[in-house]
Amino acid sequence: MTKKRPLVVVTRKLPDLIETRMRELFDTRLNDDDRPMSQSDLAEAMRVADVLVPTVTDRIDSGLIAQAGEQMKLIANFGNGVDNVDVTSALRRGITVTNTPGVLTEDTADMTMALIMAVARRITEGARVVTDGDWAGWSPTWMLGRRITGKRLGIVGMGRIGTALARRAKAFGLSIHYHNRRRVDPATEEQLEATYWDSLDQMLARMDIVSVNCPHTPATYHLLSARRLKYLRPTAIIVNTARGEIIDENALTRMLEAGEIAGAGLDVFEHEPAVSPKLLKLAKAGRVTLLPHMGSATVEGRIDMGEKVIVNIKTFMDGHRPPDRVLPSML
Ligand code: 8YV
């Protein structure tokens, strides 16, 4: 007798290569038109599926998990961050959760560096002047940004992505500072010539550039609160390629409007995909660069993420512990 193939529901369109492989391995239900599923679509999927493959655009909360059918056993998140999934409720209900770590580190670090450059050197602003046909010619005092080399970069969250950013930033001549729950190993610190700050407040007060690279968890929600953001220097810029919820976006916007901070580069927002009109206005004025959550958006990265999802499902279905199991203690 052949073993029944698991029913795998994938909530968004994935690369063709991944979808083809999934169809070969599992009884797979795909989302060809890529429209985000509603909460009731997700509830229905969880009632019938053995495995759900959600993305950052799906909110798998305790209410949904409570409605899951008995057969639902695995949430194989297509993404590194799992703040879209209530991991504790899932585990309590006997559902394993996995993610896709490691394969989007370099791409996200690249995009973080790109945002630092974009804001400091006014790249999006300059590109717009030319594209709009508004360039009247070169001038020695026009379109001046700020030099990167020799400045201090403060990395909030020195995990995989933070470390990959530090390597890049060092090559650009930035001095590396970081705040993390735990100090990184001495060899890495030495290699990066990185300075550890136990106090985030004190680090913020001394940086030229701050980059947010920690996961979004209950402990990091509004880690950069209105109170903390006040420590930033008026010449400082801040970039965020992690999660919008880590920064108090309203407080940051108010400071940008008041000129209490020089600029921001944001790839993520507190209420994605909504972006506040005030931030849009600041972007039009050239003070901030805004991107649509594309930090890990490369062809190679998405395929690697899909392959991780497949390995996690396959391993789990074969009765073993999946390589990228997420536990609440990791959050
Ligand atoms: C992904 C991300 O595109 O993996 C993450 O945590 O933030 C993104 O880069 C997204 O999560 C896919 O679900």
Side-chain angles (χ1 to χ4, degrees):
M1 202 179 89
T2 53
K3 212 162 119 200
K4 189 180 151 286
R5 301 196 318 163
L7 174 61
V8 176
V9 175
V10 184
T11 68
R12 301 298 298 268
K13 172 104 191 73
L14 299 185
D16 289 343
L17 195 88
I18 298 302
E19 293 194 338
T20 304
R21 187 74 188 123
M22 281 185 145
R23 268 209 211 92
E24 285 164 4
L25 291 168
F26 319 120
D27 179 8
T28 309
R29 218 176 265 178
L30 300 170
N31 180 352
D32 290 333
D33 62 12
D34 197 32
R35 207 167 324 127
M37 288 167 72
S38 66
Q39 289 306 104
S40 71
D41 292 340
L42 288 169
E44 176 50 26
M46 292 186 70
R47 266 194 288 277
V48 294
D50 300 295
V51 180
L52 183 77
V53 180
T55 74
V56 69
T57 56
D58 306 302
R59 193 166 38 82
I60 314 299
D61 56 21
S62 56
L64 271 188
I65 289 164
Q67 297 174 60
E70 271 303 305
Q71 78 303 321
M72 160 61 58
K73 284 286 174 278
L74 175 66
I75 297 173
N77 196 46
F78 182 90
N80 188 25
V82 285
D83 53 336
N84 55 316
V85 180
D86 185 334
V87 177
T88 308
S89 296
L91 294 189
R92 232 180 254 142
R93 167 62 188 66
I95 300 172
T96 298
V97 179
T98 60
N99 67 344
T100 62
V103 291
L104 32 79
T105 305
E106 304 302 324
D107 296 329
T108 309
D110 285 343
M111 193 57 98
T112 312
M113 202 61 224
L115 266 182
I116 292 172
M117 297 302 294
V119 178
R121 297 300 306 273
R122 306 174 67 176
I123 294 173
T124 41
E125 221 182 320
R128 197 164 43 228
V129 170
V130 179
T131 311
D132 291 353
D134 292 337
W135 189 32
W138 187 86
S139 153
T141 53
W142 182 69
M143 208 38 99
L144 306 185
R146 299 307 298 246
R147 179 181 291 160
I148 289 287
T149 305
K151 296 281 163 46
R152 294 166 162 224
L153 169 66
I155 300 174
V156 182
M158 196 69 148
R160 275 181 289 256
I161 296 171
T163 308
L165 169 65
R167 272 192 273 110
R168 285 157 176 75
K170 187 167 183 281
F172 274 82
L174 284 155
S175 68
I176 310 301
H177 301 255
Y178 75 98
H179 170 79
N180 201 43
R181 271 184 301 184
R182 278 180 302 275
R183 200 166 167 164
V184 300
D185 63 277
T188 306
E189 239 182 41
E190 198 184 313
Q191 206 177 41
L192 297 169
E193 295 173 64
T195 305
Y196 173 65
W197 293 80
D198 186 37
S199 158
L200 175 57
D201 296 1
Q202 286 182 24
M203 182 177 90
L204 293 177
R206 288 164 179 82
M207 295 301 117
D208 301 299
I209 302 163
V210 170
S211 175
V212 178
N213 296 103
C214 59
H216 169 221
T217 66
T220 64
Y221 174 77
H222 280 195
L223 181 66
L224 293 171
S225 58
R227 178 191 73 76
R228 280 220 171 91
L229 288 168
K230 289 275 178 213
Y231 284 109
L232 290 168
R233 299 165 164 197
T235 50
I237 66 171
I238 186 163
V239 298
N240 187 3
T241 52
R243 284 292 183 269
E245 292 91 335
I246 301 165
I247 303 182
D248 180 337
E249 198 174 279
N250 280 332
L252 174 68
T253 305
R254 279 196 301 275
M255 286 178 68
L256 285 160
E257 286 172 336
E260 290 164 10
I261 166 178
L266 306 175
D267 183 45
V268 287
F269 303 89
E270 246 193 283
H271 306 288
E272 275 178 41
V275 179
S276 86
K278 287 180 177 171
L279 271 180
L280 294 178
K281 199 169 158 201
L282 285 161
K284 285 187 186 120
R287 303 283 308 286
V288 306
T289 294
L290 307 177
L291 294 177
H293 197 146
M294 55 193 272
S296 69
T298 66
V299 173
E300 295 85 348
R302 291 291 185 253
I303 291 172
D304 291 348
M305 288 165 77
E307 277 168 358
K308 279 219 152 230
V309 167
I310 291 172
V311 170
N312 281 316
I313 300 174
K314 187 92 183 58
T315 316
F316 182 81
M317 286 302 161
D318 289 345
H320 306 291
R321 178 191 295 171
D324 305 310
R325 191 170 62 142
V326 178
L327 296 174
S329 57
M330 297 169 167
L331 304 175

